[in-house]
Amino acid sequence: MDEDFEGRGVPVRIATSAAFMIVVLIHLVGQIFASSSIVTEGSQVLLMPVLAAVLWTGTTSPRGRLVVMAFVALFFSWVGDTLPRFLDGETGFAAMIAGFLIAQVFYVVAFWPYRHQSILRQPLLVIPYAVAAAVLVAICFDGAGELAVPVILYALVIAAMAVLATGLGPVATTGGIIFIISDALIALRAFAGFELPGHSFWVMLTYILGQSLLISAVEAKVAVEPNPSPR
């Protein structure tokens, strides 16, 4: 741990992890009972900063490229969570897409050095990701209107993120797939009129789980390979 945390690293780590679980619980319970409440809105804004604190206390100094890029991805995820609360209608939705698109780009940059350990070594395994992205775009294209191009770009980038995440192992692989599911649920509701019972709950559950698994995989990777050289 950092020198500041020396001697108390484990308690700090436990505290940040507990704080994250509490915020998650508050948010998901809020989604079940009152998805537009102040508590639910406020807890969503806290999710990514507290997850960033978990990452900080779960890694050591000096933090390498992978961790730094993960922090930036979490920051822009927070932007995607937060900006729509200050903007109206389509402008707010576009801001959300922009925030998460940039976040996914930084995840792609973070995972790129591990591409030789990913399913890119076996191109046939990439096909399901490409098919999923293509099907989602096909379903949502007509309803996307002026956002059609950003939606296509976002589908390509998140599919790339999920493919490259496989280079960090099964935890990141699962996180990438779940993240795709979360974004697919958002797109299907916004552009295709598809909505599950308790739709917002499932969006947020998969979003939180996807992000958490990716960050857990980052922590595990740097624990065994602290400063990989970009290749």
Side-chain angles (χ1 to χ4, degrees), residues 104-212:
Q104 296 300 340
V105 168
F106 276 100
Y107 271 131
V108 167
V109 173
F111 302 153
W112 181 251
Y114 302 95
R115 63 193 181 279
H116 299 301
Q117 303 170 38
S118 74
I119 60 172
L120 288 174
R121 297 174 303 170
Q122 305 174 63
L124 287 178
L125 296 180
V126 179
I127 292 175
Y129 292 86
V131 170
V135 169
L136 184 61
V137 168
I139 292 172
C140 297
F141 186 82
D142 288 340
E146 294 179 353
L147 293 174
V149 172
V151 166
I152 293 171
L153 180 60
Y154 191 93
L156 291 173
V157 173
I158 194 170
M161 179 280 293
V163 167
L164 290 169
T166 63
L168 273 68
V171 172
T173 299
T174 305
I177 292 171
I178 292 175
F179 214 146
I180 289 177
I181 293 171
S182 178
D183 284 342
L185 289 174
I186 294 173
L188 289 171
R189 178 169 58 183
F191 303 127
F194 173 80
E195 189 161 354
L196 295 170
H199 196 89
S200 294
F201 170 84
W202 295 112
V203 168
M204 292 308 301
L205 177 63
T206 49
Y207 169 62
I208 293 166
L209 187 56
Q211 291 272 28
S212 300

Side-chain angles (χ1 to χ4, degrees), residues 29 80 97 119 176:
V29 170
I97 291 178
I119 60 172

Side-chain angles (χ1 to χ4, degrees), residues 24-114:
V24 168
L25 182 61
I26 290 171
H27 183 74
L28 293 179
V29 170
Q31 286 290 352
I32 294 172
F33 293 104
S35 61
S36 61
S37 71
I38 294 175
V39 171
T40 305
E41 297 283 325
S43 59
Q44 183 169 347
V45 171
L46 289 175
L47 285 168
M48 293 303 102
V50 181
L51 184 56
V54 171
L55 176 58
W56 181 268
T57 58
T59 53
T60 58
S61 182
R63 291 172 177 83
R65 178 179 180 278
L66 176 61
V67 175
V68 171
M69 292 298 100
F71 276 126
V72 178
L74 290 177
F75 170 76
F76 281 103
S77 296
W78 174 79
V79 170
D81 283 335
T82 305
L83 270 188
R85 285 157 177 72
F86 301 98
L87 301 169
D88 295 326
E90 290 186 2
T91 303
F93 189 77
M96 181 186 72
I97 291 178
F100 282 107
L101 175 59
I102 297 171
Q104 296 300 340
V105 168
F106 276 100
Y107 271 131
V108 167
V109 173
F111 302 153
W112 181 251
Y114 302 95

Side-chain angles (χ1 to χ4, degrees), residues 3-14:
E3 187 176 344
D4 289 346
F5 293 141
E6 192 172 334
R8 56 189 176 94
V10 172
V12 171
R13 169 65 173 182
I14 292 172

